[in-house]
Amino acid sequence: MFSDEALEGVEFQSSWKKERSLRDSKTQTSEMLTSDIGVQALHRSDVEIQTDAEGTKRIVMAMDDSQALSDFLVRIEPIMSRQLERNNRSHAFDGYDLDVYDEKSAVTCLHKLSHGAFNGEVSCTGLAWSRSGSTLAVSYGRMDHEDWCTHKGALCTWNLDRRVVNTTKADTVIDTNSCLMCIAYHPEKPAIIAGGNFNGEVCIWDLSREDDAQIFTSGIGDDSHREPVTEVLWLQDPDKPKRYNLVSVSSDGKVLIWKRNNKKGSLELLQGFLLLASSMPTASSGRERKGEMGVSCISYVNEDKNQFVVGSESGGIFKCSMNSTASVPTSKSR
């Protein structure tokens, strides 16, 4: 019924695929024009000049035999002689060698001073160098008071010119009945030092005395401070240049000037001023202030000792005059 049969192949051409034709073509861009231009750098030249040689100057001493020069020398010679003699006796620069070639700028620690008996219970509240520069005084007290001070303070000194310095024990220790807040050495007498305590008392000590070093005190009364003393300083008396009065400032706003009464061994109020809160400009606080304003520091003008500047606890700085007519309301001024 069925049988195998081999037939010849049949060829036919595809109807959907056409033969591709290829053709080469060329394009040319516009000609790029280039040109080279040479430039020349600026011409520089060095020129040396020579200054004229400076001739040797001849110094001729002027001869002055006028009477004015003679009077000046007679007047100034005693002053210069006294100052030179004072410098000759001074020990301020003992052991100091000036090295002009020393270029070291680092600060080195020479001593770490502490009084071991305190056991870290009190803070350092003030420092002062003696006039000779050999003794360092330190006042000790506490800063965490909430009411009237019942702590003990102290005044300690170290003589740093000694060959062996005991850094854990002071050479001199003077106990105070309340925290000592500030100190100041006398400008001319290296054994005399003044200080003010937390309770408002101002004292003067003589470190050369072995028994009772305290020689003057203001006590605590109507004419003294009622708040902690923040700074004390020595002020030369304008009428007696060889005498120094003591100035103290306090948180109660008072600036008090004391003189020493050698017969009574006390400090007497010589003059006083009060810094009022109304002195603060209203624009800086936004409201009008009343009462007193605490004084934290004071400094006198070197050229005019009647002028001084005080810093207040509110941050204000005030220039004041000792010629003020308004006085502190104390028992003596009422």
Side-chain angles (χ1 to χ4, degrees), residues 259-326:
K259 69 176 182 179
R260 291 169 288 178
N261 189 325
N262 296 320
K263 295 181 179 180
K264 297 182 179 180
S266 63
L267 293 173
E268 294 183 353
L269 184 62
L270 183 64
Q271 197 174 7
F273 305 91
L274 183 64
L275 181 63
L276 298 175
S278 57
S279 302
M280 177 69 75
T282 306
S284 62
S285 60
R287 57 186 178 86
E288 184 179 358
R289 296 174 178 265
K290 297 181 180 180
E292 298 82 16
M293 185 183 303
V295 180
S296 56
C297 53
I298 183 172
S299 178
Y300 276 81
V301 180
N302 291 331
E303 292 77 11
D304 184 5
K305 294 301 183 181
N306 288 322
Q307 304 289 330
F308 60 94
V309 179
V310 296
S312 67
E313 294 180 348
S314 62
I317 301 175
F318 302 89
K319 182 178 180 181
C320 310
S321 173
M322 294 182 65
N323 297 324
S324 172
T325 56

Side-chain angles (χ1 to χ4, degrees), residues 17 24 29 58 67 95 101 109 130 138 165 169 182-183 197 207 240 252-253 262 281 294 299 302 314 316 322:
K17 186 175 182 181
D24 296 332
T29 60
R58 182 182 178 185
Q67 185 63 34
Y101 301 102
C109 179
S130 65
V138 184
V165 179
K169 183 180 180 181
C182 54
I183 50 176
N197 62 27
L207 302 180
K240 298 180 179 180
D252 58 8
N262 296 320
S299 178
N302 291 331
S314 62
M322 294 182 65

Side-chain angles (χ1 to χ4, degrees), residues 99-289:
D99 189 357
V100 296
Y101 301 102
D102 187 7
E103 299 181 354
K104 297 180 179 179
S105 58
V107 178
T108 58
C109 179
L110 299 179
H111 303 286
K112 291 183 179 180
L113 305 176
S114 63
H115 190 61
F118 294 152
N119 296 322
E121 296 179 356
V122 290
S123 303
C124 172
T125 56
L127 298 170
W129 285 100
S130 65
R131 177 183 177 275
S132 62
S134 60
T135 304
L136 177 66
V138 184
S139 60
Y140 287 96
R142 297 184 62 169
M143 311 296 290
D144 56 348
H145 298 86
E146 296 180 356
D147 202 347
W148 190 260
C149 178
T150 57
H151 312 112
K152 296 293 184 180
L155 169 64
C156 299
T157 64
W158 281 268
N159 188 343
L160 301 182
D161 276 354
R162 291 184 175 180
R163 182 172 299 179
V164 179
V165 179
N166 191 340
T167 59
T168 59
K169 183 180 180 181
D171 300 329
T172 303
V173 180
I174 300 176
D175 295 326
T176 58
N177 55 8
S178 65
C179 293
L180 189 60
M181 307 308 293
C182 54
I183 50 176
Y185 265 108
H186 192 281
E188 295 184 357
K189 300 178 181 179
I192 303 299
I193 187 171
N197 62 27
F198 188 87
N199 292 337
E201 185 180 9
V202 179
C203 304
I204 298 178
W205 297 275
D206 185 353
L207 302 180
S208 63
R209 300 177 61 171
E210 296 182 358
D211 46 2
D212 187 9
Q214 181 173 299
I215 54 178
F216 297 101
T217 177
S218 66
I220 301 176
D222 295 335
D223 294 335
S224 61
H225 294 291
R226 295 299 185 92
E227 297 289 340
V229 180
T230 53
E231 186 175 359
V232 292
L233 60 85
W234 296 90
L235 181 66
Q236 194 171 25
D237 193 314
D239 299 327
K240 298 180 179 180
K242 293 185 178 181
R243 186 176 69 180
Y244 285 84
N245 298 321
L246 189 63
V247 181
S248 62
V249 296
S250 168
S251 300
D252 58 8
K254 294 180 182 179
V255 179
L256 303 181
I257 303 176
W258 307 90
K259 69 176 182 179
R260 291 169 288 178
N261 189 325
N262 296 320
K263 295 181 179 180
K264 297 182 179 180
S266 63
L267 293 173
E268 294 183 353
L269 184 62
L270 183 64
Q271 197 174 7
F273 305 91
L274 183 64
L275 181 63
L276 298 175
S278 57
S279 302
M280 177 69 75
T282 306
S284 62
S285 60
R287 57 186 178 86
E288 184 179 358
R289 296 174 178 265

